[in-house]
Amino acid sequence: MTLKADLMQTREGAIAWYQEEAVLEVNETICRLMDKKKMTRAELAKAIKMQPNQFDRFLNGEEILDVRAIAEVLFHLGYKFRMSPLPIHPVPSKEKQ
């Protein structure tokens, strides 16, 4: 059984999986837009008034930014924040044992 399949057996595991998936999607999107704009991590960190090492921790998934901070990062990359939620089928119903 894969890690995902194992986690998806419980509500708590599914929540953890989808949280990590969301963090990865945000970070990958920001990195892709930075490449497109040819902006370095240091330049973007400076633009949002964040220490470069803290911004690195965010992009590495070690720190989480709130929605306002993500919107600011995207603004400096020439984009706006937009959510596109997708339905979960089926929603795991078992509680963690």
Side-chain angles (χ1 to χ4, degrees), residues 22-40:
V23 168
L24 185 61
E25 182 178 347
V26 168
N27 294 358
E28 286 180 345
T29 298
I30 289 170
C31 287
R32 189 180 73 251
L33 296 174
M34 286 171 56
D35 286 345
K36 188 175 182 177
K37 190 165 181 171
K38 299 189 183 343
M39 186 177 238
T40 67

Side-chain angles (χ1 to χ4, degrees), residues 36-82:
K36 188 175 182 177
K37 190 165 181 171
K38 299 189 183 343
M39 186 177 238
T40 67
R41 289 179 176 210
E43 290 168 335
L44 188 50
K46 184 177 180 180
I48 62 171
K49 297 176 178 70
M50 183 182 282
Q51 293 296 318
N53 61 344
Q54 183 183 6
F55 190 67
D56 284 343
R57 287 194 303 272
F58 158 67
L59 288 179
N60 293 334
E62 299 165 29
E63 279 193 26
I64 306 298
L65 296 183
D66 64 21
V67 174
R68 286 182 177 92
I70 293 167
E72 182 180 358
V73 167
L74 292 173
F75 174 83
H76 288 286
L77 291 168
Y79 289 82
K80 71 176 191 172
F81 178 80
R82 175 177 241 165

Side-chain angles (χ1 to χ4, degrees), residues 1-10 13-14 16-17 20:
M1 184 174 289
T2 66
L3 175 61
K4 180 179 180 181
D6 192 38
L7 286 171
M8 296 305 260
Q9 292 185 27
T10 65
W17 179 267
E20 292 304 314

